[in-house]
Amino acid sequence: MKRETGRVTWVLRDHRGRFGTIVLAVAVLCALAAPVISTGDPAAQRDVVATRFLPPLSTDLHGVVHPLGTDRFGRDVWTRLVYGARISLGVGTLAVLVSVAIGVVVGAIAGFSGGLVRPVLLALTDFALALPRVVLLLLLAALWRPSAALVVVVLGLTGWMSIARLVQGEVRSLAARPFVEGAAALGLRRARILARHVLPNALTPVIVAAALGIGNAIMLEAGLSFLGLGVQPPVPSWGNMIASGRDTLLNAPWVATAPGVALVLVVMACTLVGDALQDALQPANRGQTPR
Amino acid sequence: MLAALARRLAAGLAVVAGVATLTFFLLRLAPGDPVERLLGPAATAEQLAAQRQALGLDQSLPAQYAAWLARMARGEWGRSIASGRPVRAVLAEAWPATAALVGLSLLLSYLLGIAVGAVQAARGGTRLDTALSVSTVTLFALPGYWLGLMLVLLFTYRLRALPSFGAHGYDGDALAGLARLRDLLRHVALPLATLTLVGIGGTARFVRGAMLDARAAPFVTTALAKGLAAPRVWLHHVLRNALVPVVTLLGLSLPALFSGAVFVEAVFAWPGVGRILVEAVQARDYPVVMAATTVSAFLVVVGNLLADLLLAWVDPRIHYRSRET
């Protein structure tokens, strides 16, 4: 495990990993400190007519500065952006945790059991992988009452397949190694061998997949909210902010631009951290991912 | 080859059938009543019951499923609950628009993505490689619906150069020949650019990795050692072998590309399956949702089959393998 931590600090020495980590750290800090660094209420509307559509860096009648301007209800875009970060980062992370949990369980069972279990689980995974994900997301998200919790469940349920495949492959190759045979010869139960000896060694590629998956989940959450099927206004999410900015694109382009830029930066950071982790944890492939 | 193809076809049909069945039960299990939406809040209980009976929604779930299977088998897809139009007609209009948009952007993003990735691999480690990597990771992180809005902001609102919605202008039907084609091209430009730009990012990143993998293979060292010109080695040895995983990715990326099309169609009001699906899901229009999901799954499965055939063409070893089995 110590060796692994050493490799993780290697990520910080890689310039992609450093950039990505800094962006993510800033985003997480802004989300956590949202009440302190903003006006405090993302849904606050004072005097709609006097304060709406103020361009970035302007000061309104009440003397409040709006670093990113205001939207059509006079709400502060910066405040909504940092509160929206809570939704985007939270939903993205939780959704990936759900996917990883399902994927690891399915992959471990498929990789470690013989008989019919493996082909059945693999066929199920392949089937789920062939489903158009957004079609399923649309169905699930539109049919039940939209909420952040539903988006987490839906994204988690539709994102576990690639992780299951990765874990299955790793577990299968590890199961054939001598130390597993040794553990079995010592009389350990198979479930214990899987949990204590095989799985910990199979999780390396899962870390990389999870980093990439968070970026993807954040993008999909924003997409669902953009279509009106995710987080519902007035609760701010980057997706529903872009949707509301879409209607005022001509006279207030900053409303849609700001959350989009934030989204791109965070997704890019996840990808870069994933690339750097890949190189750090699987040195054989070092240099293969784009720098 | 034929046996392998038949197996793939059977697996593909199983996916389509599975998608349709899953959609059927998800729709029926979800809250929300299409009849209430159809008749509005003023409808009496009797009217609701009568309409439900007319649509067959009063029967048990298994009975509805059996009836639906039988109708699907006969090719009767029913009528849209919302508009009353035959579902077949609605989808017959929509699927070519989606297939054209997705197909064209797939072609463009692969050609451009392979070119960019190949240049990066050949110039690995240089400033050009770094600059292109920064660009591709940015494109890869762009959500299509937001990039689409930004392109509208630039090309429609600022430059007033391109239309931002639909597949043709108000006078589209009155135009003929070249004028009509020009109108269509102007309308497809922004949605196509959006999907293509996003696609280039992912493809170029993957191609760069695949080419560096192939570059490290012993046969490339051999080719260089026996004195072949470097460009020839890159083209015939490295790129050729890197294409195998790239074509595999092509099949795998189709569902993602279709997903992207759903968002982009929503932004640009492109009259395709994605837009119809979004609207029908929101209106609980069961027959249209069922058919649109089935058609989209079918398009993805057909695309995957085409990618498989392409793979056998790119990698001759696959022929031999399937002939032996």
Side-chain angles (χ1 to χ4, degrees):
Chain A
M1 210 53 215
K2 189 159 182 255
R3 208 175 38 137
E4 300 279 301
T5 359
R7 287 189 186 160
V8 172
T9 54
W10 198 88
V11 169
L12 290 179
R13 267 182 270 143
D14 177 307
H15 58 274
R16 297 162 305 169
R18 201 162 51 228
F19 175 80
T21 313
I22 291 172
V23 170
L24 287 181
V26 169
V28 170
L29 273 180
C30 286
L32 290 177
V36 185
I37 56 172
S38 69
T39 62
D41 181 1
Q45 312 177 6
R46 289 206 187 190
D47 178 354
V48 174
V49 179
T51 58
R52 69 180 171 186
F53 299 140
L54 290 176
L57 294 175
S58 54
T59 312
D60 66 17
L61 291 173
H62 312 278
V64 181
V65 183
H66 299 287
L68 293 177
T70 59
D71 68 4
R72 61 175 146 175
F73 297 118
R75 299 176 300 197
D76 183 53
V77 173
W78 166 250
T79 306
R80 294 182 68 71
L81 193 71
V82 287
Y83 276 90
R86 294 182 161 192
I87 299 277
S88 286
L89 298 171
V91 167
T93 313
L94 288 175
V96 168
L97 283 181
V98 174
S99 301
V100 166
I102 303 177
V104 166
V105 169
V106 172
I109 296 176
F112 209 59
S113 43
L116 267 177
V117 180
R118 185 197 320 244
V120 168
L121 282 180
L122 283 184
L124 184 76
T125 308
D126 278 350
F127 171 71
L129 207 55
L131 301 178
R133 189 176 184 189
V134 160
V135 173
L136 266 190
L137 284 179
L138 278 180
L139 278 176
L140 291 169
L143 297 180
W144 278 270
R145 183 184 292 279
S147 71
L150 179 72
V151 175
V152 168
V153 172
V154 167
L155 285 177
L157 284 181
T158 53
W160 55 271
M161 292 80 76
S162 55
I163 292 181
R165 277 187 152 192
L166 277 175
V167 172
Q168 191 271 141
E170 287 285 308
V171 165
R172 208 168 157 183
S173 75
L174 285 167
R177 299 263 290 269
F179 73 89
V180 172
E181 211 176 316
L186 284 173
L188 296 184
R189 282 182 301 116
R190 279 181 69 77
R192 188 182 158 84
I193 298 177
L194 178 61
R196 298 293 297 275
H197 299 268
V198 175
L199 258 189
N201 288 304
L203 292 183
T204 307
V206 174
I207 299 172
V208 176
L212 298 173
I214 290 181
N216 200 7
I218 289 176
M219 193 127 90
L220 282 172
E221 181 277 321
L224 284 179
S225 299
F226 174 76
L227 292 179
L229 300 170
V231 178
Q232 297 296 302
V235 176
S237 118
W238 292 349
N240 69 33
M241 287 174 73
I242 296 177
S244 108
R246 177 191 181 185
D247 304 334
T248 60
L249 203 56
L250 189 55
N251 51 351
W254 54 87
V255 182
T257 310
V261 171
L263 196 55
V264 172
L265 280 175
V266 165
V267 175
M268 195 156 79
C270 289
T271 311
L272 290 174
V273 168
D275 283 351
L277 273 172
Q278 171 109 47
D279 283 0
L281 298 174
Q282 291 162 336
N285 298 330
R286 196 164 288 168
Q288 305 292 301
T289 53
R291 312 197 145 242
Chain B
M1 187 67 204
L2 271 180
L5 195 63
R7 238 192 343 265
R8 301 283 312 174
L9 200 63
L13 287 177
V15 167
V16 174
V19 168
T21 305
L22 199 65
T23 316
F24 180 89
F25 285 104
L26 277 178
L27 275 178
R28 299 310 200 273
L29 290 175
D33 185 343
V35 174
E36 271 175 30
R37 287 183 188 229
L38 183 66
L39 297 182
T44 63
E46 290 84 45
Q47 284 173 319
L48 287 175
Q51 185 67 39
R52 228 169 249 137
Q53 200 183 7
L55 293 171
L57 295 173
D58 55 339
Q59 292 161 1
S60 71
L61 259 189
Q64 285 188 43
Y65 182 59
W68 172 76
L69 272 185
R71 280 200 305 275
M72 280 303 270
R74 286 198 304 271
E76 293 168 20
W77 291 8
R79 281 170 181 278
S80 157
I81 295 181
S83 69
R85 295 184 58 208
V87 175
R88 257 167 181 266
V90 173
L91 283 168
E93 283 170 16
W95 82 265
T98 296
L101 186 63
V102 169
L104 273 177
S105 76
L106 193 68
L107 188 71
L108 283 177
S109 64
Y110 264 77
L111 287 179
L112 295 170
I114 289 175
V116 171
V119 167
Q120 280 188 273
R123 296 271 176 278
T126 61
R127 283 197 175 175
L128 180 65
D129 180 28
T130 311
L132 286 175
S133 283
V134 171
S135 321
T136 51
V137 79
T138 312
L139 287 179
F140 186 62
L142 278 172
Y145 48 91
W146 184 72
L147 177 63
L149 286 185
M150 292 298 113
L151 291 179
V152 167
L153 188 59
L154 181 63
F155 287 99
T156 308
Y157 291 159
R158 293 275 180 270
L159 301 177
R160 300 183 179 276
L162 289 168
S164 68
F165 69 92
H168 40 71
Y170 297 114
D171 55 352
D173 290 334
L175 298 173
L178 274 181
R180 195 181 178 122
L181 183 67
R182 188 170 164 273
D183 183 54
L184 188 67
L185 286 178
R186 277 166 51 81
H187 279 85
V188 83
L190 288 184
L192 185 61
T194 306
L195 271 183
T196 306
L197 281 172
V198 174
I200 289 176
T203 315
R205 277 167 56 82
F206 190 83
V207 169
R208 182 185 179 280
M211 282 190 69
L212 286 177
D213 275 342
R215 171 69 183 80
F219 62 81
V220 175
T221 315
T222 309
L224 287 170
K226 72 180 185 183
L228 284 185
R232 190 184 157 82
V233 175
W234 276 104
L235 208 61
H236 289 263
H237 296 77
V238 180
L239 183 60
R240 177 73 202 234
N241 281 285
L243 280 182
V244 175
V246 171
V247 172
T248 312
L249 177 80
L250 185 80
L252 288 175
S253 63
L254 265 172
L257 198 74
F258 181 80
S259 302
V262 169
F263 290 115
V264 169
E265 285 181 9
V267 169
F268 291 102
W270 186 255
V273 181
R275 193 173 66 125
I276 286 185
L277 184 63
V278 173
E279 283 169 5
V281 161
Q282 283 166 345
R284 297 285 190 285
D285 198 340
Y286 289 172
V288 177
V289 176
M290 291 298 311
T293 6
T294 313
V295 165
S296 59
F298 186 74
L299 287 179
V300 167
V301 163
V302 168
N304 271 326
L305 270 179
L306 289 179
D308 275 355
L309 289 177
L310 197 61
L311 192 62
W313 179 66
V314 171
D315 187 356
R317 284 168 298 182
I318 288 168
H319 277 292
Y320 297 122
R321 226 178 282 148
S322 50
R323 251 179 227 152
E324 280 163 17
T325 49

